[in-house]
Amino acid sequence: MLGGVKPWVWVVNAGRRTVRGLHPAWARPDDVWAEAWLPGPEAALYRRMDPRDRDHAVQVARAVLARHPRAGAEVVRAALLHDVGKSGRRYRVIERVATHLVRWRPAREGEASGGLRGAWQVAAHHARDGARWIREAGGSPRVAELVARHERPGGDVEAAWLRDADRRT
């Protein structure tokens, strides 16, 4: 199992994300649905995201709701914003594919890097950065906490829901 996901599920999802990364025009985020969940400052952050990341975010939010129909609005909002920390840098297609398929040890915090190394750095720190941006924009502290914890939920059940939905979509 890869982080709680069966290997074949990971391979299928990695393949789908790779194809979508190579063909950004295929991303069709349901922005109307997403923005109906998000208050002003959080909606503004959502709009900053790449269409591929917004498309993925909507899929994650819908997966959370499918598995946990009584999930609160803050969990859905966190699902929609879980990758907002990636929006601080434009990815070239090869960087988007490489950061998803290959994990690399990024530069330490505060050591900004360019090129592919910088893309890995953004991917490694996106949860922390996204949570900070949500707080700075005046978004919900709980949404920010869920975004910060979506890859390493610890004992937070709702953050685990996000991690599981993220890995399955």
Side-chain angles (χ1 to χ4, degrees), residues 5 25 29 37 47 50-51 55 62 68 84 88 93 115 130 138 146 152 157:
V5 176
W37 285 95
R47 284 190 293 272
D50 182 279
D55 185 49
R62 287 182 168 152
H68 308 283
V84 72
V93 171
L146 288 167
R152 292 182 183 87
V157 173

Side-chain angles (χ1 to χ4, degrees), residues 118-165:
W120 274 309
Q121 185 178 21
V122 169
H125 301 298
H126 79 280
R128 179 207 62 212
D129 292 342
R132 179 173 40 88
W133 294 344
I134 291 165
R135 285 190 298 274
E136 288 173 355
S140 161
R142 178 63 178 152
V143 170
E145 178 183 8
L146 288 167
V147 167
R149 300 181 77 178
H150 82 272
E151 291 195 340
R152 292 182 183 87
D156 189 322
V157 173
E158 293 174 327
W161 295 351
L162 294 180
R163 181 201 56 211
D164 295 343

Side-chain angles (χ1 to χ4, degrees), residues 41-64:
E42 293 173 6
L45 289 171
Y46 172 84
R47 284 190 293 272
R48 285 179 34 187
M49 294 167 62
D50 182 279
R52 293 165 287 195
D53 291 330
R54 292 194 322 266
D55 185 49
H56 168 66
V58 168
Q59 291 177 30
V60 170
R62 287 182 168 152
V64 167

Side-chain angles (χ1 to χ4, degrees), residues 8-153:
W8 69 268
V9 172
W10 185 89
V11 168
V12 168
N13 291 333
R16 191 172 49 224
R17 285 186 181 180
T18 300
V19 169
R20 211 176 321 145
L22 293 171
H23 300 284
W26 290 357
R28 301 268 189 248
D30 189 346
D31 293 335
V32 173
W33 182 86
E35 290 188 37
W37 285 95
L38 298 166
E42 293 173 6
L45 289 171
Y46 172 84
R47 284 190 293 272
R48 285 179 34 187
M49 294 167 62
D50 182 279
R52 293 165 287 195
D53 291 330
R54 292 194 322 266
D55 185 49
H56 168 66
V58 168
Q59 291 177 30
V60 170
R62 287 182 168 152
V64 167
L65 285 170
R67 292 182 72 113
H68 308 283
R70 295 181 185 229
E74 287 180 315
V75 178
V76 175
R77 289 163 42 202
L80 291 167
L81 294 173
H82 77 278
D83 281 343
V84 72
K86 294 178 180 178
S87 65
R89 178 186 194 282
R90 289 280 178 224
Y91 284 91
R92 294 187 317 235
V93 171
I94 190 65
E95 293 172 343
R96 178 172 288 280
V97 171
T99 58
H100 182 70
L101 295 178
V102 179
R103 300 294 181 204
W104 189 265
R105 189 172 156 203
R108 282 173 279 189
E109 189 175 343
E111 294 180 11
S113 299
L116 190 53
R117 186 170 175 86
W120 274 309
Q121 185 178 21
V122 169
H125 301 298
H126 79 280
R128 179 207 62 212
D129 292 342
R132 179 173 40 88
W133 294 344
I134 291 165
R135 285 190 298 274
E136 288 173 355
S140 161
R142 178 63 178 152
V143 170
E145 178 183 8
L146 288 167
V147 167
R149 300 181 77 178
H150 82 272
E151 291 195 340
R152 292 182 183 87

